[in-house]
Amino acid sequence: YRNVIRRAAKRSGAITSDVPGIFFLEIDGLAHEVLQRAIRNGDAPTMARWLHSGSHRLVAWETDWSSQTGASQTGLLHGSNEGIVAFRWWEKDRGKAVASSAIKDVMAIEQRLSNGKGILYEDGASRANMYSGDAPHSLLTISTVLRRDREGKLGQDYFAYFANPYSLVRTIVLVIAELVREVWQANQQKRLDIQPRVHRGLFPYPVMRAWMTIVQRDLQVQAIIGDVYAGRPVAYTTFSGYDEVAHHSGIERRETLDVLRRLDLQFSRIDAAAAGAPRPYRFVVLSDHGQSQGATFKQRYDTTLEELIKTAAGSETSEASKETDEGWMYLSAAATEIARGTGFLAKTVRGATKRKHVDGAVVLGENERERQSQAEQQEREQKPLPEVVAMASGCLGLVYFPRTPGRLTLEQLEELYPRVIPALRDHPGVGFLLVRSQRHGAVVIGAAGSNYLDEGRVEGEDPLDGFGPNAAAHVKRTDGFEHCADIMVNSTYWLETDEVAAFEELCGSHGGMGGEQAYPFALVPTDFHLPDEMVVGAEGMHRLMRRWLADAGQESYS
């Protein structure tokens, strides 16, 4: 079948060149130290072989404060993640929430940050990413599913995959096996009383796990192999299966490492395909963030962040962001992409999802905000704004008071809601708060002291101790974002157990600081330049990636 793809690529005008192409293979959510242990223990044999042969080096890099895909991929692919506060945030000037799981929001964010010269703009391919990097060729990419100006025939990639009887039968068998595997593994966690754990249920999570670890993975592997034979100079693809399972099972549980092991085998397939490519290829494997583990905030203290804030503020109206499975986001994107194509498959999907369309996109799952019709949104906008909005991004919480324009200062908070800051500051599950003082500027508050970032002084114990040497710089940068929350809340990080307390019901989480979530990895060919010091921030990693392309001889990136 690989020969069939190669012949088809040649007929389509494959690019023959002596200039090496570079493909970036991202493992969503895999921390540097977790991969080190997986390589040591035999759970990543392909990457271990590359390391032991001397062809690659393994290094860590550091994310921004918002250690999640929305912030990291805009930085990695477009060179800017300015203004990305968290996975979701509230915009007071528009009176609405923005979420990295909403197709329209992702499109708007990319339009704002892109300068048209992203990492993939020169005939590159974006496969199963949140953002496109300005790639002309894309599949399963959230920011492009509604665009008709991109190259290629909408839905054709899916048709080619499922039209192959072998692919179809293989996928069905593997999906059934994955569903059975998930139910058995969830029951095993309960039987053995493995802690921490979260409720997984029979639906929808098992379906999402099967989609992410089987269907989406195989679609994007086929697309990448097609890109190899087409001679594309650069491509970026995100494998999200590990991240999906780690959220629900834990970052190094047996089933999570099994997903990593099966993904590692796909890298071997891609590497083998490159031997017959019309140009030499170099592969960089990297992650956009890691994950940290721990019992959730609600499990530890029998309350949610929203409930804590609502009680302290004495508010009768509040709103909390709903936990959203990223699997629904990618499944919605796939259904949207297929439905906008032509042929039998497109017609079938359009018929099955005709009641699931919102503004041209198919929206599946439990995110009610995304599923609102235009009329429902207008009706909501006419209602009074909630007094308090609490939003969660892993162990990072964002608290807004939407009825008060602009960002509330510390002095205003102490006057209007005098119990809120003490309730958060003294809570054992809260590591530190970021607020803006009218007199002192950005202030980080902890139970035993405060760090006055703008004034460069600390009173008592520094709340940022234990969160890394760059914590103050990360927090100060976020303080300058237009939609920074009235109160930014980072959970406690327990160094002794390497645990955080997520404000969502996720066993493994990411989005803030504390532990391995802030330290992803890059597995890089040995002759690629690496700085002497660790790369800090997704934007810094983007600049390094462009240098690799330029050093390889791709003149557009010089």
Side-chain angles (χ1 to χ4, degrees):
Y1 187 63
R2 199 179 295 158
N3 290 331
V4 172
I5 298 175
R6 186 187 296 117
R7 288 195 297 269
K10 287 182 178 179
R11 288 195 299 269
S12 300
I15 302 168
T16 302
S17 174
D18 293 329
V19 176
I22 299 179
F23 278 18
F24 299 96
L25 311 177
E26 179 192 305
I27 305 177
D28 189 7
L30 181 60
H32 173 256
E33 291 189 7
V34 174
L35 177 58
Q36 279 187 316
R37 291 189 287 270
I39 288 172
R40 179 196 66 191
N41 296 333
D43 291 315
T46 301
M47 289 184 278
R49 172 167 54 84
W50 290 347
L51 271 179
H52 295 153
S53 70
S55 69
H56 284 69
R57 289 184 287 172
L58 178 64
V59 296
W61 65 279
E62 184 177 344
T63 68
D64 303 282
W65 187 6
S66 183
S67 55
Q68 48 84 26
T69 304
S72 289
Q73 277 204 2
T74 49
L76 291 169
L77 295 174
H78 291 282
S80 173
N81 56 13
E82 184 72 19
I84 309 295
V85 187
F87 188 78
R88 50 181 72 83
W89 66 89
W90 185 273
E91 296 190 353
K92 285 191 177 184
D93 54 346
R94 295 198 295 161
K96 62 170 291 186
V98 173
S100 296
S101 57
I103 293 175
K104 284 285 189 178
D105 289 345
V106 171
M107 292 178 66
I109 291 168
E110 179 165 282
Q111 289 170 4
R112 175 173 64 85
L113 293 176
S114 172
N115 62 2
K117 299 287 187 178
I119 200 75
L120 305 175
Y121 87 99
E122 189 64 34
D123 197 35
S126 170
R127 309 303 188 188
N129 302 315
M130 186 175 290
Y131 295 92
S132 73
D134 297 316
H137 310 279
S138 63
L139 171 74
L140 273 170
T141 298
I142 308 303
S143 65
T144 64
V145 293
L146 294 179
R147 286 178 48 190
R148 290 190 176 274
D149 60 341
R150 71 181 197 262
E151 294 184 16
K153 196 172 182 180
L154 286 168
Q156 193 63 32
D157 294 303
Y158 301 92
F159 179 78
Y161 179 80
F162 289 110
N164 181 339
Y166 171 76
S167 296
L168 181 61
V169 173
R170 176 180 178 277
T171 296
I172 291 173
V173 171
L174 291 179
V175 164
I176 293 172
E178 193 72 4
L179 292 172
V180 173
R181 184 183 290 116
E182 160 56 25
V183 172
W184 184 83
Q185 289 170 344
N187 286 331
Q188 283 293 96
Q189 275 201 350
K190 290 181 182 178
R191 186 180 69 83
L192 299 173
D193 193 28
I194 294 174
Q195 298 290 343
R197 69 172 186 268
V198 295
H199 176 71
R200 287 150 70 169
L202 296 176
F203 184 84
Y205 169 64
V207 176
M208 288 303 96
R209 171 174 168 172
W211 170 264
M212 301 292 274
T213 61
I214 303 296
V215 184
Q216 178 168 301
R217 181 201 67 190
D218 287 355
L219 275 168
Q220 63 191 110
V221 167
Q222 175 172 291
I224 285 292
I225 291 176
D227 293 326
V228 165
Y229 290 139
R232 305 242 182 269
V234 59
Y236 193 107
T237 187
T238 302
F239 293 96
S240 299
Y242 169 87
D243 187 71
E244 179 76 10
V245 177
H247 276 314
H248 297 84
S249 297
I251 62 177
E252 289 183 275
R253 300 278 166 76
R254 182 177 301 175
E255 56 259 47
T256 315
L257 293 176
D258 178 58
V259 171
L260 177 61
R261 188 181 304 110
R262 286 182 282 148
L263 174 57
D264 180 88
L265 292 176
Q266 303 305 312
F267 295 163
S268 181
R269 286 182 60 200
I270 296 169
D271 190 30
R279 71 191 307 160
Y281 275 102
R282 315 298 300 279
F283 296 106
V284 175
V285 186
L286 75 164
S287 55
D288 55 345
H289 55 77
Q291 284 200 30
S292 297
Q293 194 167 288
T296 69
F297 191 84
K298 184 176 181 180
Q299 288 173 342
R300 292 172 187 269
Y301 307 110
D302 198 28
T303 188
T304 65
L305 179 64
E306 180 205 9
E307 291 167 348
L308 178 64
I309 299 293
K310 184 178 178 180
T311 300
S315 172
E316 296 182 358
T317 61
S318 65
E319 182 176 313
S321 58
K322 287 191 66 175
E323 180 184 320
T324 304
D325 195 319
E326 288 185 27
W328 283 121
M329 174 181 67
Y330 283 106
L331 185 54
S332 297
T336 300
E337 218 163 26
I338 297 171
R340 290 169 65 86
T342 58
F344 174 75
L345 182 61
K347 290 179 181 178
T348 302
V349 173
R350 278 198 298 271
T353 62
K354 61 183 178 181
R355 296 184 179 180
K356 306 284 187 183
H357 285 254
V358 179
D359 296 329
V362 177
V363 179
L364 306 172
E366 303 301 323
N367 194 329
E368 295 299 328
R369 188 187 70 79
E370 294 178 44
R371 293 185 60 176
Q372 290 175 321
S373 67
Q374 189 66 35
E376 288 172 326
Q377 289 183 22
Q378 291 173 353
E379 180 182 349
R380 174 181 171 175
E381 289 169 2
Q382 294 171 0
K383 294 179 180 179
L385 291 169
E387 187 175 4
V388 180
V389 171
M391 314 188 92
S393 182
C395 73
L396 179 65
L398 292 80
V399 181
Y400 296 88
F401 296 88
R403 295 180 185 176
T404 305
R407 186 176 172 191
L408 281 175
T409 65
L410 174 59
E411 291 79 8
Q412 288 175 305
L413 287 165
E414 290 174 337
E415 179 182 353
L416 298 173
Y417 304 100
R419 293 192 297 160
V420 168
I421 295 296
L424 289 170
R425 178 195 63 207
D426 299 333
H427 196 285
V430 173
F432 65 85
L433 319 172
L434 168 66
V435 293
R436 172 152 283 276
S437 167
Q438 187 175 355
R439 292 191 297 270
H440 305 291
V443 183
V444 178
I445 300 174
S450 299
N451 187 330
Y452 294 84
L453 297 175
D454 290 346
E455 298 177 352
R457 63 185 179 89
V458 176
E459 289 185 359
E461 297 179 11
D462 187 352
L464 297 176
D465 280 349
F467 289 94
N470 300 304
H474 291 318
V475 173
K476 188 172 182 178
R477 178 173 183 250
T478 301
D479 178 75
F481 289 169
E482 180 181 2
H483 300 292
C484 184
D486 295 326
I487 308 173
M488 300 285 292
V489 185
N490 202 101
S491 96
T492 300
Y493 170 57
W494 290 273
L495 179 62
E496 297 82 1
T497 55
D498 190 30
E499 290 184 331
V500 297
F503 298 118
E504 302 171 280
E505 293 310 296
L506 299 173
C507 183
S509 68
H510 55 88
M513 286 190 291
E516 297 175 2
Q517 62 185 309
Y519 298 98
F521 73 92
L523 186 69
V524 183
T526 306
D527 58 337
F528 280 20
H529 169 77
L530 286 172
D532 294 332
E533 297 183 350
M534 181 184 293
V535 175
V536 177
E539 295 177 358
M541 197 67 191
H542 171 89
R543 291 189 291 272
L544 186 59
M545 291 160 65
R546 292 188 83 93
R547 173 168 179 172
W548 295 337
L549 288 164
D551 289 349
Q554 297 194 27
E555 297 179 356
S556 299
Y557 297 94
S558 299

